[in-house]
Amino acid sequence: MRTIMQLQNMQNCWALITGGSGHVGQTAADTLLELGASVILLDRDSESLKELTLNKYKGVENVHAIVCDLANESAIAEAMKSVANITEHKLNVLVNNAAFVGTDKLTGWCVPFEQQAIDTFNDCLKVNLSAPFLLSQLAFELMKNQEQGSKSIINISSIYGVVGPKIELYEGTDMGNPAAYAASKAGLMQLTRWMSANVAPSVRVNNIVLGGIERGQPDTFVEKYNANVPLARMATEEDVKGAIAYLSSDLSSYMTGQSLFLDGGWTVV
């Protein structure tokens, strides 16, 4: 029987993280690097990726970066060809983390329901749901014949894919909770279940359901949010590390099709 240290050892494993230059993306990368994996950060923000590779990850040989706009199907296909070249056609972990969120500045996005734009709704579904589907398809081709290490797809969903929003939290702020965000995150959870049944036993697929992460939101928002959480606080990036380590490695080798809730208890009250 392997030890805990052996189960979480990801030496000689490759992980691809979308939204890799963002807060959660970097946290996932840091976690996987700590476990010994090599990581590829995929993001549309070329400047942020450049900044990371020149500073935070300077001299770290097992960190690579790929610029890709997930709204572009052909760009995704090209990016996955680059992944195959970098990894010599190997992949152990895909973290579908990139998404449009409630703080993005989009036309017809963080506005009242009757003003939300159908074009923006469709753009959100393309990035938040269609892109993870395509990325998972292409990643599966690299994973399924992999003989070494875990083979895991991790989708990053949200409490708003499970429950309706408390609109009063956003009053007096420029934040919002668009319908498309909720619909895409709910869809991602069902996609997780569907894929898990169809790519088994060679690949596992699980889902992390995130609550709100504190990043300098207005005090009024944070106070109202915390009042709805049994643990009485918003999440931090550090709170995500354990879930990434668990679902990426053989610590969760008998777990697939499941959602791991990191919400401080938001969805149970």
Side-chain angles (χ1 to χ4, degrees), residues 31-264:
T31 302
L32 288 158
L33 288 168
E34 287 180 43
L35 298 180
S38 297
V39 302
I40 300 173
L41 306 175
L42 186 149
D43 204 293
R44 66 177 180 176
D45 190 338
S46 59
E47 289 302 314
S48 293
L49 287 178
K50 183 178 180 181
E51 176 73 15
L52 285 173
T53 54
L54 291 178
N55 292 287
K56 181 176 181 178
Y57 298 120
K58 183 179 180 180
V60 181
E61 294 182 357
N62 55 338
V63 175
H64 301 259
I66 296 175
V67 178
C68 178
D69 182 356
L70 295 184
N72 187 322
E73 292 178 20
S74 61
I76 292 174
E78 287 302 312
M80 290 305 295
K81 289 179 183 177
S82 297
V83 170
N85 289 333
I86 292 169
T87 66
E88 297 181 345
H89 294 271
K90 301 173 184 176
L91 191 64
N92 298 87
V93 177
L94 167 64
V95 182
N96 281 312
N97 166 64
F100 287 142
V101 297
T103 53
D104 283 311
K105 306 301 181 185
L106 303 169
T107 301
W109 182 241
C110 286
V111 293
F113 171 62
E114 63 272 20
Q115 298 173 25
Q116 293 182 25
I118 187 62
D119 288 344
T120 301
F121 187 98
N122 290 333
D123 289 343
C124 174
L125 292 185
K126 181 179 288 186
V127 171
N128 289 17
L129 187 55
S130 299
F133 169 78
L134 180 55
L135 284 159
S136 298
Q137 268 191 329
L138 298 173
F140 177 65
E141 291 301 315
L142 299 177
M143 290 181 176
K144 64 183 181 182
N145 296 320
Q146 180 83 326
E147 295 182 357
Q148 183 175 353
S150 64
K151 293 176 287 186
S152 174
I153 296 173
I154 303 170
N155 294 320
I156 306 296
S157 186
S158 164
I159 54 174
Y160 291 125
V162 182
V163 297
K166 298 179 184 294
I167 298 301
E168 64 271 17
L169 270 62
Y170 302 94
E171 293 174 355
T173 76
D174 60 358
M175 302 165 60
N177 195 293
Y181 179 78
S184 65
K185 290 304 187 180
L188 191 61
M189 293 181 70
Q190 184 57 26
L191 180 63
T192 297
R193 300 182 187 99
W194 187 93
M195 285 197 301
S196 69
N198 282 272
V199 301
S202 55
V203 175
R204 298 182 297 110
V205 189
N206 291 290
N207 187 59
I208 295 175
V209 182
L210 286 180
I213 297 177
E214 187 166 3
R215 296 196 189 110
Q217 294 93 337
D219 289 343
T220 56
F221 174 86
V222 175
E223 290 171 6
K224 287 187 283 188
Y225 189 98
N226 291 349
N228 286 276
V229 184
L231 292 185
R233 67 173 177 87
M234 298 186 75
T236 67
E237 268 76 25
E238 184 177 282
D239 292 320
V240 181
K241 294 187 73 173
I244 293 292
Y246 177 64
L247 293 178
S248 297
S249 69
D250 280 344
L251 288 169
S252 58
S253 62
Y254 199 56
M255 183 176 185
T256 195
Q258 304 303 309
S259 288
L260 189 58
F261 283 71
L262 298 180
D263 66 353

